[in-house]
Amino acid sequence: AQFVQEQFREQIEKGKVTLTRTNAWASAASALAKERGLGPCSAAVVHRLGVVELVLPGGALAGPDLARPFADANGMDLLPETMAEERDLLREVHAELLKLERIALAVLRVKQVVPGAKPEALQAVYGILASDVAPFVLAPAEDGSGMRVLLLGEKAIGKAICDGVVNAVGKFHELTEVDAQALRDLLVKSFDKQPESDRTYQLVASRLRSIVRGLIVPAKEERTINAKGLGKALGALGVAPLSVPVVRVAARLLDFCTRDLQIHGGATYKFTVPSGSPSASPAVAADPTPAESARSSSTSASSDSTAEHT
């Protein structure tokens, strides 16, 4: 970490790198922490909040276009210079989070058309939607600016995936032609490029984003509680099988936060840490099953380092 930090500082001193975007991001993260009443908290919490809200689909610090999360409305880069080398990794995390939102929405659409859908049918649906080809991939941007997220609607595989879901459900439930077409139409809408106007999507996305925040942003003790309650929280949303991929993507982003703060920390980032009475941060609290408890314990253990002790 020290070697990378020294290299980065050398680039700054030579004028090859500036901290314009980094300082703007750190300032915005500090303001957001104060706005959300996270104080008193450590700089690590503010840092994680800033990273999450930059990478999370629809995050407070992310760009308005889900396909280009690190660009503002004018196409200007939002990603801090300190994170430039990790751009592709952060894009992948963003794409995975977006994928989980759409999977959750699609599963709820299946339940909408087929009330009381059998677990076997839903498991088949999860398998199709969670495959490597659905619903997002990374590909070189046409303007040569790096990698970008390609949405399902832009790929010919889209129709095949929707048909695959309908066929999978049809193996366990008798679907009329009307029901099958209704399900196809709802699935297509589930993967629109900009589905924010869909009230069901708003509900699903808002809840999933809150869950992810609770697994990453708070201090260690609260993250542990939230991880133990993950299964029940997702179960309340109707998508309990997403526990494993949610844990995996949250752990990946948490690892990045730890590594990034170790490298740059106070030497580069200038956060204003909120003070005052702490208020509730995004949380997911519930009793875990043994499997969830073991999983969450390993996640918490792997994510904590010198980046935070409070």
Side-chain angles (χ1 to χ4, degrees):
Q2 183 177 354
F3 175 72
V4 176
Q5 183 186 71
E6 290 175 354
Q7 281 190 318
F8 186 77
R9 298 305 302 180
E10 183 178 338
Q11 294 296 308
I12 294 176
E13 292 170 0
K14 292 181 178 180
K16 295 182 178 180
V17 176
T18 70
L19 293 177
T20 303
R21 297 194 305 275
T22 299
N23 292 336
W25 168 80
S27 177
S30 299
L32 187 61
K34 181 178 180 181
E35 176 186 323
R36 294 187 177 177
L38 297 188
C41 65
S42 68
V45 170
V46 179
H47 174 266
R48 290 198 296 271
L49 174 67
V51 171
V52 166
E53 294 301 336
L54 181 64
V55 177
L56 198 66
L61 305 183
D65 187 347
L66 292 179
R68 304 190 67 176
F70 309 135
D72 65 16
N74 298 316
M76 300 299 291
D77 196 3
L78 294 171
L79 194 68
E81 292 87 353
T82 50
M83 303 178 193
E85 295 297 321
E86 302 273 18
R87 184 182 297 271
D88 286 349
L89 180 148
L90 295 177
R91 280 185 180 276
E92 290 174 8
V93 171
H94 169 85
E96 184 64 23
L97 290 167
L98 194 56
K99 177 177 180 176
L100 292 176
E101 290 181 2
R102 306 306 180 86
I103 290 175
L105 179 59
V107 170
L108 292 182
R109 293 304 195 191
V110 171
K111 293 182 177 182
Q112 179 180 340
V113 176
V114 188
K118 296 179 180 178
E120 298 88 345
L122 295 177
Q123 194 60 44
V125 170
Y126 279 113
I128 294 171
L129 294 174
S131 65
D132 291 338
V133 297
F136 304 97
V137 296
L138 288 173
E142 295 177 359
D143 59 5
S145 60
M147 304 296 287
R148 69 183 295 265
V149 180
L150 294 180
L151 305 185
L152 177 67
E154 297 176 289
K155 304 295 289 183
I157 58 174
K159 183 178 182 300
I161 291 172
C162 290
D163 287 343
V165 169
V166 173
N167 292 336
V169 174
K171 291 180 180 179
F172 300 93
H173 298 274
E174 185 174 346
L175 296 176
T176 66
E177 186 175 338
V178 173
D179 287 340
Q181 188 56 50
L183 181 53
R184 284 191 183 88
D185 292 342
L186 287 172
L187 288 170
V188 170
K189 291 179 180 178
S190 298
F191 297 104
D192 282 346
K193 294 182 183 180
Q194 300 288 345
E196 286 79 1
S197 60
D198 186 312
R199 294 180 64 85
T200 303
Y201 177 79
Q202 292 174 1
L203 173 65
V204 171
S206 175
R207 187 59 185 140
L208 275 177
R209 293 167 188 177
S210 178
I211 289 171
V212 171
R213 290 186 185 99
L215 295 174
I216 300 173
V217 175
K220 177 182 177 180
E221 294 78 8
E222 187 175 347
R223 293 202 310 270
T224 300
I225 293 173
N226 294 343
K228 289 179 179 179
L230 179 61
K232 182 172 285 189
L234 291 173
L237 192 58
V239 290
L242 289 184
S243 293
V244 171
V246 167
V247 166
R248 184 171 57 242
V249 71
R252 192 177 185 191
L253 191 53
L254 193 53
D255 286 344
F256 165 79
C257 290
T258 300
R259 183 173 67 253
D260 183 65
L261 197 59
Q262 284 178 333
I263 294 173
H264 299 290
T268 305
Y269 295 135
K270 307 301 179 185
F271 296 111
T272 301
V273 179
S275 59
S277 300
S279 61
S281 53
V284 185
D287 295 328
T289 64
E292 288 160 0
S293 180
R295 179 69 178 176
S296 65
S297 296
S298 64
T299 301
S300 297
S302 67
S303 63
D304 260 76
S305 67
T306 57
E308 170 168 350
H309 300 283
T310 62

